[in-house]
Amino acid sequence: MNIHEYQAKEILSGYDIAVPRGRVCLTADQVERAAKMMGGHCVVKAQIYAGGRGKAGGVKVVHHPEQAQELAKELFARKLVTPQTGPEGLRVRRILVEEAVEIAREFYLSITLDRGASRYILIASAEGGVEIEEVAAKTPDKIHKLTIDPLTGLRSYQARKIALALGLTGSLCEDCVELILSLYRACLEKDCALVEVNPLVVTKAGWLMAMDAKMSFDDNAIYRHREYPDMVDYSQLDTLEITAGKYDLAYIKLDGTIGCLVNGAGLAMATLDVLNECGGKPANFLDVGGGASREKVAEAFKIILQDPDVKGIFVNIFGGIMRCDVIAQGVIEAANEVHCPLPIVVRMDGSQVEEGKRLLTTSGLNVQCADNLGDGAQRIVKMLG
Ligand code: ADP
Ligand code: MG
């Protein structure tokens, strides 16, 4: 789960990390008033669930409240396309107006999960700012990494080593040690998958400040934080993902033409691999989980059908906890309700499989039953021609 920069900054300031003074606005008039409060000279920052805003015109310094208002009108009116949003871009519904800080140096600092090592990893670079991807690609030796042992946690001497590697000395170095330790504490306590400060800056006045902040939470830990669901900005999410979330279904959009309904993430991965091997391109996958009901399968099926890219549907379900006849009923119910004209291939196995197949083949739908995964993938690819 992602949150906006202004929300991440609110959290970080609760951990004594300095952030610029700012106000989040929902209208261009509010932006004007906020800019006035800052004395006219300020930074207008579009809040979207993606980075790269600076280069795309989503972060700009302005000098008058009217200029801030004009810029806000323009930002609210269009979608912002950055290298991280994909070509369709994201709508701007919130704008952060911030004091313009005079920056002396920009650094990169983040903590994220290294899934290979099953640990948090701290990443830092003295060459932070909007070119960080280029630094990582061209001069990877300028990126410092530290894998954090979950038992001992992050120690001061390790944080100091990073601060020194950034070229900080004296009291700034000690401030940076405190900041790094606070960032790690925030990361742990908020169950983050990522917390990134880019840039972390030294101001001309000689302070360390988080000038940008990105935070995403581990979806599996959301239940531990009652405030998280209210922090979601639905304007930033795919509508089908929102519906899927409501029914506790995991929906992932991809760029092909075959809609995939599966149970279990592992089976989903295998399904995508085999489809690709057969020359098919998945349009999405929807994981209904282990013990889904008929209604849940029906909802899942409807969500897949709402994706205009879907030209055919591949249902691949292993009926362990789930009974195959229940799955078949869900598929039939949903396909009839929305008058599904698309070809469907169902591969299922497990309890009540014969009854499930009988229900499907006598349903009058454009459906084929497959005996195994390979057979099913080949059939749906062939049906789509
Ligand atoms: P993004 O990473 O999405 O491009 P940032 O918030 O990092 O957005 O802003 C881009 C650049 O704009 C930063 O690297 C920094 O140089 C400058 N910047 C951002 N906020 C401020 C601010 N409040 N005062 C001065 N400069 C800022
Ligand atoms: Mg940034």
Side-chain angles (χ1 to χ4, degrees):
M1 171 189 159
N2 290 315
I3 56 170
H4 283 304
E5 172 197 6
Y6 78 91
Q7 294 164 317
K9 280 177 165 167
E10 263 169 36
I11 291 175
L12 292 184
S13 76
Y15 284 84
D16 290 331
I17 293 175
V19 300
R21 226 163 20 103
R23 224 183 165 92
V24 65
C25 305
L26 301 171
T27 65
D29 287 344
Q30 286 179 359
V31 168
E32 188 206 13
R33 268 179 280 147
K36 220 177 248 165
M37 247 172 47
M38 307 275 164
H41 178 48
C42 58
V43 182
V44 172
K45 308 184 81 174
Q47 300 294 289
I48 54 170
Y49 282 178
R53 297 163 302 160
K55 283 183 167 176
V59 175
K60 278 191 180 156
V61 179
V62 296
H63 301 281
H64 307 285
E66 300 77 43
Q67 200 188 345
Q69 187 182 31
E70 281 311 306
L71 177 58
K73 275 187 194 157
E74 194 198 303
L75 285 170
F76 280 136
R78 67 178 168 104
K79 282 189 169 179
L80 192 59
V81 179
T82 85
Q84 294 182 19
T85 58
E88 57 295 340
L90 282 169
R91 283 221 158 280
V92 181
R93 289 276 175 257
R94 303 177 196 189
I95 287 178
L96 175 64
V97 178
E98 234 174 37
E99 65 174 311
V101 176
E102 290 199 279
I103 299 171
R105 296 174 65 188
E106 298 198 336
F107 306 99
Y108 175 93
L109 183 64
S110 72
I111 301 175
T112 188
L113 270 176
D114 177 344
R115 293 182 190 275
S118 306
R119 287 174 182 202
Y120 275 121
I121 181 168
L122 184 127
I123 303 170
S125 174
E127 314 239 342
V130 294
E131 303 292 349
I132 189 66
E133 283 86 2
E134 208 171 330
V135 176
K138 290 196 178 146
T139 47
D141 51 309
K142 290 186 174 164
I143 311 273
H144 309 282
K145 292 182 182 169
L146 172 79
T147 306
I148 303 170
D149 186 316
L151 276 183
T152 51
L154 184 63
R155 315 306 298 251
S156 310
Y157 79 90
Q158 294 174 312
R160 191 165 297 109
K161 222 163 134 182
I162 294 288
L164 289 169
L166 295 181
L168 295 170
T169 52
S171 65
L172 262 181
C173 176
E174 286 315 302
D175 289 351
C176 188
V177 170
E178 286 307 314
L179 188 144
I180 290 173
L181 294 174
S182 299
L183 198 70
Y184 180 58
R185 211 151 45 82
C187 182
L188 280 186
E189 289 177 8
K190 298 294 173 189
D191 286 311
C192 292
L194 166 78
V195 43
E196 181 186 74
V197 179
N198 183 35
L200 167 72
V201 309
V202 175
T203 66
K204 287 205 172 141
W207 300 103
L208 268 180
M209 221 181 217
M211 204 54 47
D212 186 12
K214 191 176 193 176
M215 215 177 236
S216 71
F217 304 129
D218 180 344
D219 290 335
N220 294 312
I222 290 174
Y223 76 97
R224 301 210 285 204
H225 305 270
R226 288 168 75 185
E227 71 281 18
Y228 286 180
D230 290 337
M231 294 173 83
V232 178
D233 177 358
Y234 287 100
S235 74
Q236 302 296 300
L237 304 179
D238 182 301
T239 47
L240 294 183
E241 275 174 30
I242 298 171
T243 318
K246 228 166 55 192
Y247 292 97
D248 205 18
L249 303 160
Y251 169 84
I252 306 290
K253 177 80 186 108
L254 301 165
D255 54 11
T257 54
I258 304 170
C260 302
L261 198 156
V262 292
N263 64 338
L267 192 60
M269 294 301 127
T271 305
L272 301 189
D273 282 349
V274 175
L275 272 177
N276 271 304
E277 223 160 75
C278 298
K281 291 266 169 286
N284 54 42
F285 79 78
L286 213 153
D287 175 6
V288 293
S293 61
R294 194 178 76 204
E295 290 75 22
K296 206 161 161 180
V297 171
E299 282 310 324
F301 203 81
K302 281 189 247 171
I303 289 171
I304 287 184
L305 281 176
Q306 281 175 52
D307 180 344
D309 296 334
V310 170
K311 302 288 179 262
I313 297 171
F314 185 30
V315 179
N316 185 20
I317 299 234
F318 186 76
I321 307 169
M322 244 173 144
R323 277 172 30 197
C324 293
D325 55 337
V326 172
I327 298 157
Q329 281 166 355
V331 169
I332 294 165
E333 195 177 297
N336 282 331
E337 194 183 323
V338 292
H339 306 293
C340 172
L342 303 176
I344 307 167
V345 171
V346 178
R347 180 264 169 159
M348 51 188 188
D349 216 338
S351 52
Q352 304 291 323
V353 64
E354 291 311 324
E355 176 60 7
K357 281 187 179 170
R358 193 191 63 76
L359 287 170
L360 283 168
T361 42
T362 56
S363 66
L365 293 168
N366 183 8
V367 63
Q368 287 189 14
C369 291
D371 291 329
N372 56 53
L373 177 49
D375 176 37
Q378 274 166 6
R379 275 175 195 256
I380 189 70
V381 171
K382 207 155 141 207
M383 280 170 99
L384 295 188

